Every structure is written in structure tokens, then in C-alpha cells.
Amino acid sequence: MESAPVRVGMLGCGNVGAALLILINEQHAAVARRTGLALEVGAVAVRDPGRDRNVPVDPGLFTDDPASVVANPEIDVVVEVMGGIDPAHRLVVEALERGKPVVTANKELLASHGPELYALAEGAGVDLLFEAAVAGAIPIMRLLRESLAGEPITRVMGIVNGTTNFILSRMAEEAMPYGEALAEAQRLGYAEADPTADVEGIDAAAKAAIMASLAFGVRVTADDVYREGISSITSEDIEFAGRLDHCIKLLAIAERRDVGDGPNIGVRVHPAMVPLDHPLASVRDSFNAVFVEGEAVGELMFYGRGAGGRPTASAVLGDLINAAGNLRRSHGARIGNLQPAVVTPIEELESAYYLEVEVDDRPGVLSRVAAVFGDHDVSIRSMEQEGLGVEARLIFITHAARERDLRATLEGLDGLDAVRSVGSMLRVVGD
Ligand code: NAP
């Protein structure tokens, strides 16, 4: 049986908002049948209310005053799909303070103000749901928050930026240089005219902070995340990775470290060499995936569309139904009280590494190069040599080593007169 409608106030009606309004309209009967809930859109705030948006909503419900939507006593749940920090931050705070559940897709807002907003929602006993903020349509937030709430999670690794995954896929599969692959992503609408947020890992770092917060119950913001993008990845790196049966992916990694007393974590975004037989290696084009490792559960992987109006709207609608149901039952989806995080700097984290070094091709060089690794406690797992006339290219894969020791090794190699250049360094993940 349908109860009284739950009135929804929308902040934004762009790619995601418009797709959500269409989906609510299409799914209205199915949602009512399956959940007993009737969702009714009560107001929609946009910048330009006069524009025809081709959505199934009375044009009289549009306003250019988002604060009036939040303050409207007729609105039960607020959906924030306007993006950016201001005024979204102020509006979300206002809604939570008024005791209204909030559904948002805004990773930027959560990565900078998440801990404050989670605490506010927790204190007010209202929902703050944000499934669409990480990996678009993939329901990873609810999994971390509910299904895996009792799981001792050890690591969460995600391909959470479709633009960079598309670029890296094109570079590997079509042997395209980086610039050409980026231009194609822009032509197809996968990359913005200014691609900085995607290619420099800023978008992925925001998502890494949110994933780390939920996976480990700690307060993490984007400033805590070590970040490297993909703009320096060359066709040669991709080719060498392929020769070694690896591919290169931009990974967002949040991991638990069993040191010290408190919750000690590492959280980083960087390109990584991933073995071709790892499940994440099969995630191509603009798709996203999140790989979760836990002590009890073992390995899990979730795969799907990370962006696009309709897939993202599906995740928002799932949250909206959850929030509406909780409101009717007078309870909230708990995040819990997040603890302060001890975030380990990248220098102290461990990884295996891929290194490319160009050296003079003469006797004795190899042993001097190998000695530098040994001097810094970095042990070599494999080495390949390629002749280049009077020079040779050495490709090393190391065993797991501390980043600080690896960096010292790079410096040591740079100081050897037989070393012509120290080329690419990539972390190897998932072996
Ligand atoms: P968008 O197309 O730019 O839409 C933004 C909407 O918000 C527009 O309707 C805009 O009004 C309205 N708006 C912006 N500032 C406003 C203000 N100050 N007052 C009133 N209205 C305002 O953005 P989107 O792609 O839908 O993304 C929305 C959110 O979802 C962002 O946080 C984004 O990161 C997140 N997200 C998007 C995707 C995706 O695939 N697009 C995927 C995952 C998450 P006008 O229409 O009048 O300009």
C-alpha cells in the first residue's frame, strides 16, 4: 500500500538531475509496488528556470532560489545534484540542520567537507547518502557502509575515473600516444576541454578519500591522499608493461596498515602496473571497477559505468528510495562516528616497483647497478636487458620495498657515471 508521498526537492537539473526526473517518472509505479513509497517532486532549483529542459515536471516547480527549496516545509528529502562546493555546502548543511535527509552525487563536496557533513548527519539522525559520488552507478558506498560493515577490510582498489581509463585503454589497444588518446576522449565527450581534474588524478583522489572514510571508518579528506596522474605515461611505458604481461591503470588505493594503535591507513592515487591476469586489468574503456580485499570475505569486485546521466541517476534514485523509506520508518542509514585517521605518508608505504634505467653497455656495470639496489634494501625480482648499441636498457621489477628506499635507490643510480638516465618508475600492484 502506498503511504503519503515523500516530497523531493531537487538542487540542480543538469545531466544527472534531468535523468533522475525522467527515471523517477518512469519507475514511479514499480517503486510504489516494490517499496510502498510514492516519490513526488516538489521543487527544482536551477540557474535558469526559464529554459525548457524536456523533463516530466510541471515548469511551475522550477526556481532559481535553491535556499527556498531547502527551507520549504513541504519538502521532505533534498537531492543535491548541482555540483561544486558553494553554494552546495551551505545548502546541504542547512538541509541536515533542518532534519531533512540529503542525497548527493557531489564527490568534490564530500572529499573536502565529508567528515563535517557525516558528523552533522549522524548528530541530527538523518540520512546523508552519496552512492553516485564514487564510481557512478556501482553501488559501492552501500556495500562498504552496510554489507561489509562487519568485514575487516584490508584494501580497496578502484579504477574510479573513466576518462583516464579510456585514455590508457586507447594507448594500450591502439598504440596511440597520450596526446592523441586524450584528444579522442575529448572528442567523444569523455574528457573536459580542461582535463586537469581527470588526468592529474584530482577526481580520483576525491573518490579515494570517500572510499577510505567508509572502508575504514576514519576521517579522510582529499588533502590526505597522495596523488600522481597519468600525463607523464608514455607509449614506451605501455609497451614495456605489455611485454611484461602487465597493463597500466590509474588506481585509487585505500589500505589498512597494521602498525601502531589507532586506525593507520595509506591512501593514494597513481598509475600502476597491474598483471594482465588481475581482474582490474580487464576493466577497459570508460568503465569503472572497485576491488575489495577483506580478511573474512577474501576478494570482491564490482564493475560498471562510472558516469553518464542515466547510470548516475540510477544510483541517486536508489539512495532516494532508501532515504524516503528510512524517513517513513523514522530511522537513518548510519555512517557511525568516524575516528581520526593516521594517514601514512607515501614514503613509508610498500610496493613492488618497475624501473627503467639506461646504462653504458660495458663489463661491470650491471653489478654496480645491482649493488645500489642492495645498498638501499631493495631486492630485485626480475631484470631484462635490451641492447641499444653502446648503451643498454635495463628493466627491473623489484620485490615489495619501502618507497623511501626506492627513492634513495633512484638517487643512487642517478649518481653512477655508467647510468645514462633513470627513466620511468611505476608501482606494481596486484601481483
Ligand atoms: P551539470 O550538468 O552541470 O548540472 C548542474 C545543475 O545544477 C544545472 O541544472 C544547474 O542549473 C544547477 N546549478 C548549478 N549551480 C547552481 C546554483 N548556484 N543555483 C541553482 N542551480 C545551480 O552537472 P551534472 O553533470 O549533472 O553533475 C551534478 C553532480 O553530479 C556533480 O556533483 C557531479 O560531480 C556529480 N556526478 C556527475 C556524474 C555525471 O556523469 N555527470 C557522475 C557522477 C557524479 P542550469 O541548468 O540552469 O545551469
Side-chain angles (χ1 to χ4, degrees):
M1 197 188 67
E2 263 186 48
S3 50
V6 174
R7 307 255 297 170
V8 181
M10 301 268 302
L11 307 178
C13 182
N15 289 320
V16 179
L20 177 64
L21 290 174
I22 293 169
L23 207 54
I24 290 176
N25 188 53
E26 283 172 4
Q27 295 301 309
H28 190 270
V31 170
R33 197 171 55 246
R34 292 169 65 172
T35 66
L37 292 165
L39 300 174
E40 190 178 300
V41 176
V44 185
V46 288
R47 280 200 208 93
D48 176 7
R51 206 171 86 216
D52 180 16
R53 292 165 192 273
N54 211 7
V55 289
V57 173
D58 175 356
L61 295 179
F62 282 85
T63 170
D64 63 1
D65 180 8
S68 72
V69 175
V70 173
N72 184 343
E74 302 278 299
I75 295 297
D76 300 313
V77 182
V78 172
V79 175
E80 187 276 300
V81 280
M82 68 197 321
I85 306 289
D86 277 318
H89 175 236
R90 193 165 18 93
L91 294 163
V92 169
V93 168
E94 172 80 12
L96 294 172
E97 283 177 347
R98 284 175 181 270
K100 297 188 185 190
V102 173
V103 174
T104 176
N106 193 335
K107 63 215 134 197
E108 210 188 335
L109 174 63
L110 293 168
S112 54
H113 293 82
E116 165 210 339
L117 296 175
Y118 308 146
L120 190 56
E122 194 68 19
V126 290
D127 282 348
L128 170 63
L129 300 176
F130 42 89
E131 191 59 74
V134 178
I138 305 174
I140 186 70
M141 296 291 97
R142 190 152 331 149
L143 278 154
L144 291 175
R145 174 167 162 151
E146 293 179 12
S147 318
L148 299 174
E151 171 63 36
I153 294 174
T154 49
R155 183 160 70 162
V156 180
M157 294 198 286
I159 294 175
V160 291
N161 181 272
T163 309
T164 45
N165 204 47
F166 177 86
I167 294 171
L168 293 169
S169 297
R170 279 294 180 277
M171 288 176 76
E173 291 165 22
E174 316 279 338
M176 269 187 197
Y178 170 78
E180 214 175 292
L182 170 59
E184 185 175 339
Q186 286 169 321
R187 207 166 41 245
L188 294 172
Y190 291 135
E192 308 271 338
D194 175 1
T196 312
D198 289 321
V199 300
E200 297 306 339
I202 298 166
D203 172 83
K207 293 164 179 172
I210 300 169
M211 287 197 304
S213 301
L214 258 64
F216 301 113
V218 290
R219 289 180 221 133
V220 181
T221 68
D223 290 341
D224 297 318
V225 182
Y226 174 81
R227 172 174 64 79
E228 279 174 30
I230 64 159
S231 56
S232 58
I233 299 291
T234 64
S235 301
E236 270 196 338
D237 295 332
I238 301 263
E239 190 197 322
F240 279 122
R243 272 203 239 165
L244 298 167
D245 292 327
H246 284 64
C247 61
I248 299 180
K249 296 288 184 194
L250 182 72
L251 296 185
I253 303 174
E255 60 201 332
R256 191 185 82 200
R257 303 190 69 244
D258 291 321
V259 293
D261 292 335
N264 193 312
I265 62 159
V267 53
R268 54 203 164 108
V269 166
H270 54 68
M273 287 198 12
V274 177
L276 288 178
D277 59 5
H278 191 281
L280 285 172
S282 64
V283 180
R284 299 171 49 244
D285 288 339
S286 62
F287 279 89
N288 281 200
V290 182
F291 190 80
V292 180
E293 295 163 75
E295 282 171 25
V297 83
E299 296 177 344
L300 299 168
M301 187 161 99
F302 308 93
Y303 169 90
R305 292 238 169 251
R310 208 165 152 83
T312 308
S314 169
V316 177
L317 179 55
D319 276 351
L320 183 53
I321 292 167
N322 199 2
N326 286 341
L327 195 65
R328 284 287 170 264
R329 290 188 293 271
S330 303
H331 72 74
R334 309 249 355 239
I335 296 181
N337 291 313
L338 302 186
Q339 300 178 54
V342 179
V343 179
T344 307
I346 187 85
E347 291 79 6
E348 300 304 322
L349 296 180
E350 289 203 340
S351 176
Y353 296 87
Y354 157 94
L355 279 186
E356 185 225 321
V357 186
E358 283 179 22
V359 297
D360 293 337
D361 196 0
R362 55 184 156 86
V365 170
L366 200 52
S367 61
R368 282 160 59 207
V369 167
V372 176
F373 282 81
D375 288 347
H376 295 99
D377 280 338
V378 177
S379 125
I380 297 167
R381 191 171 78 195
S382 69
M383 197 278 293
E384 275 187 33
Q385 178 167 354
E386 191 181 62
L388 303 168
V390 289
E391 286 179 41
R393 179 182 284 133
L394 307 177
I395 304 284
F396 295 96
I397 304 261
T398 73
H399 285 290
R402 245 186 358 161
E403 177 108 1
R404 179 190 302 286
D405 297 333
L406 194 279
R407 290 186 186 181
T409 305
L410 292 178
E411 266 177 44
L413 291 173
D414 222 14
L416 285 185
D417 58 0
V419 169
R420 300 262 178 123
S421 69
V422 179
S424 299
M425 180 279 271
L426 283 163
R427 299 167 188 89
V428 183
V429 174
D431 266 335

